[in-house]
Amino acid sequence: MEVTIDITAYHKGWFEFRLAVPADGGADEASPITQDMLNEHVLEIDESTVDFDLVTNYAGVHGSVKCATTGGHSDPTSTTRNTKWPHGSCCNGGGACSPPAANKDRYVIETSSNVGEPGAPTGLYTVVLKVPPGIECERCTLQWYYQTGNSNDAYPEAFWNCADVEIKPESYTGDSWCAETVYCGATPECSGGPAAGCGPTEELSCSVEREACGAFQAKCDAWCGASCTATPTCDAEAPEYPGGMLKHECSCWASTTCAALGESSCPGWPFETMCGYCDHDVIGENCCRGLSIHAAIQEQGLDPDTDLLLGSTRATWEDLCEVVVAWNGRFSAIPFLAEADAGNNLLTLAAFLGNAAQESADFVACEEYINPCQGVCSGGNAEDYRDALWGTCYQVPVPTADSFDKTGSLPADACGTSGQVTCVDWDGRPHSGDSCWYGKGALQLTWNCNYAKANTLLREIGLEIDICADPDSICTDGQTFWAGSLAYWMMSVSPYYLQDHRIDTAMNCIKSGCSAPYPGTWTGSGAAASCNIESPAGACWEDSEQYFWADMVGALEKMATRGVAGRTFISGAAGSSEYAVGLANLAAFLAQTMQETIQYDACDENNWSEQSALDMVSAKGGSPGEIYPASAACGQLGQSYQSYSCPAGGVLDPETGETVPPEEVQCAVDLEMVVVAQTSAQWYGAPPPLFCAPRSLVRDAPKWDVSGWCPTQGTSWNQAEEWAAPFGSMARGSIHFGPAASTASVPPEVLASAPDYPSYVVGSVDQGTGEDCLLSGTCCLDKDNQRAGSWQSCAGGCENSALPELNVGSEARTDVEGCCWWGRGAIQTTGVCNFGKLNYFAGKKAAQRGKDALFPDVDFCANPGAICQPEYPELRWFSGLFYWLNDVQPYDVRGERYLDVLQAWVDNGMDPSDHSLVDFASGVVNRGCHDAPFEGVGGADPCGNGEIHAWEERRLNFKHIWGVLSPLLPTRRRSLLLS
């Protein structure tokens, strides 16, 4: 049996071939083909195969990619550290394979003469296989398996394909016949017998082709419209598609322009009024001429169709031009390929087409290849994209005048049609219901959610298709092929790609999604770093999931009425002037919370030790440390949170007027404490939650690498084999440690070796990312919907930034022992003294002292993470207000009092351009010093605590909040809380 394999991407390794022979010879097509049946016949390579001696030299394959035991035979030349191999291969239960030293059934492609051909070792590999004697069947199944060899000491990437074959007895001489290409209106001529020059049997008979072409005539007529002449052609010879795909093309022609015929003419072309004519070529040519990118390509001497689209007949450059012109005409505020920098436009086009070429097999396939073997062969399964595997659909586009906002959410069946739709995959197999949301179009639009969101935008640009009701309509023509994918690009890729113009950013967004996780807030979910409170809502703002107004009001009422240790929040109990003071005090408080936490939708401090933060430490003569080290939990920007101790002179108890020794107030550092943060940053590849643990558990702190790729949607082919229910069928992004110390979303098989998050971190160091390590429980499980990133080691542990000369500084840390005192809550309560004050005056210790504690059951020293736990929704606000009562309102240093500045700001006219109040509060909150220098401005540092971070943003926050609150200023006396 001669088989030919077309390799388009060379990854070394070898081929294996297996043959399943049904007991009835294949007469019952409904009878399933199993891997066990395939394993019964591992086919040997015939000696007539070109380069036989070379391609059977399995012993010469590098030991780092060969399994230790193959086909039951030990292989002493194997040196790999990998212990898991694809099921159904010679390395794992794939039948009676030959011994590695006397290989007969593995075709080693790296030793084929193809490798020596100019250019690359891709192309056609022809292999002659031995069919075991005595086999005769109407429908046997041949399986091709490709085990790659380009990943040393790792689970290999593997590929499968299957084909039904008929095997005749050895005495069979055979006959052949040819089917000519059939054109509508022509009389096909088919020859049923042997003919000179005839090739192998065509996949489609003439009758099938005539029937299909006749049905297409009606579609073509409807598409072109009554005023244009429709000329459909149907072609059975489409070698770029395995299995003889039907290729239907429709062209329209009119004797005059559409303008002369009226806008209702040629209804199949949605862009005729924009680009001028019914004739497709004229439309496309005119649209392309209107794009600056077209001229830039021509200046390079390139033919877009040939050099960029590789001669595709699926969709043309003119098709793309039409879609781009339509998009830019409708959404002029967010155009495609229209940046001022022509070089950036070329980069964007390269990123878009490069990813489209990969997703659509070089612009050939519109539909994803759906596996016909139901798990035995490779390829996707339509069931991998069921609604149940998605969850809520967020970031729904709402068109505006010249753009669209991403807001709100939809259920898993975002289209609302999963129960009614039907579809046919590229190989002609029907599907129905929520199995129709597999990839289609240039970028393979996938999942019900993305279909629903793109559907809204396609209608806006004039495409009269409904991909919710008819998902196959994406593949109607060249325009729809591009349009659905352009809509997805502009929704879910472009906002992130345009920040750096890196093709890997676009690739990661397409592979695993860069859209913001369900509603975070403002810049924390992936918006541009330039976003601030004055930025457009559609570009930068989303609803918070951590901070709610009702929780704030509840905490504020407690602090303004009951208070803590005799102190209350100044809210202006009576008098219009005092009421204004209360509003100004609240505005100053909220301006700080917006900068410290709300903009990031974070309760726990994020690991923000990025390069710019390290550079600031270096500029001050400190040790910068590593980017995103786990030891950031001990302190960031040169600080040491354990050094935030109470003053040596003691802490004033405002209720009694007595000074309490610091050791009675501040929390003791428990070196055995294990805490994992509840929240963390959510941008693509962002570091996971901070955590602390003893050295006995985590000896050396690793650092976070933001690159890589973690699968989040759908399931892995062998997931059910690795993990018991329900984890075997869960979407991969839903399997993770956390939040906090929770392991409820972790398979028991993973917990057996990593019972908690710190243990998992130790086991995941230097394991990279990807499907294989995820299934082994050693990567991509750090948080919900993790899309990228992994832990890496440093010799001796990864250092955090160190600036010992700070009053709250220390030497660099390479561990996380006792480092449990990072910032939490609205104003990031930080350090052993501040958590101790909470406990002493409002928590468990206050209750033990016989005080009327607001939170008598919360031990803030034993459980500092309580501030962010969902069972205490007011605590994240309360902790910030407590800090305000004890450190901001009573602030009095070197003759400067916060209350004096607050009153003076009100008395001087409450002008938001007067920054005296917000700057004073910013210094106290951010650096514990009212006159600390501004970041980037420099100047004296009287307190030695460093510069005020983001002082300009805090000013804008205050201005915005005051604009919201100032209309509440009374015309008569009233209380802030009762207004």
Side-chain angles (χ1 to χ4, degrees), residues 293-294 297 308 317 320 336-337 343-355 489 497:
I293 190 73
H294 182 69
I297 292 171
L308 302 186
W317 174 249
L320 180 57
F336 183 58
L337 301 177
N344 280 344
N345 290 329
L346 288 172
L347 287 174
T348 299
L349 180 64
F352 178 78
L353 293 182
N355 280 283
W489 176 277
Y497 167 78

Side-chain angles (χ1 to χ4, degrees), residues 30 94 197 211 310 335 460 514 518 542 671 710 743-744 802 806 867 928 930:
E211 180 182 353
L310 310 178
E460 290 292 318
C514 283
Y518 23 100
E542 299 159 359
L671 300 181
C710 292
T743 57
L806 289 178
I867 290 176
H930 71 278

Side-chain angles (χ1 to χ4, degrees), residues 709-711 768-775 779-780:
W709 169 73
C710 292
T769 60
E771 185 175 41
D772 299 335
C773 58
L774 185 152
L775 290 175
C779 77
C780 297

Side-chain angles (χ1 to χ4, degrees), residues 135 144 163 278 364 372 394 444 486 503 548 594 641 653 662 707 964:
I135 291 180
W144 166 77
C278 294
V364 168
Y394 294 96
Q444 295 290 277
L486 180 61
I503 191 170
F548 299 93
M594 291 166 67
Y641 300 149
D653 184 339
S707 65
V964 173

Side-chain angles (χ1 to χ4, degrees), residues 700-724:
D700 298 324
K703 63 180 179 181
W704 186 255
D705 175 16
V706 301
S707 65
W709 169 73
C710 292
T712 59
Q713 300 172 354
T715 58
S716 298
W717 70 273
N718 59 337
Q719 188 168 319
E721 299 177 9
E722 297 290 332
W723 296 336

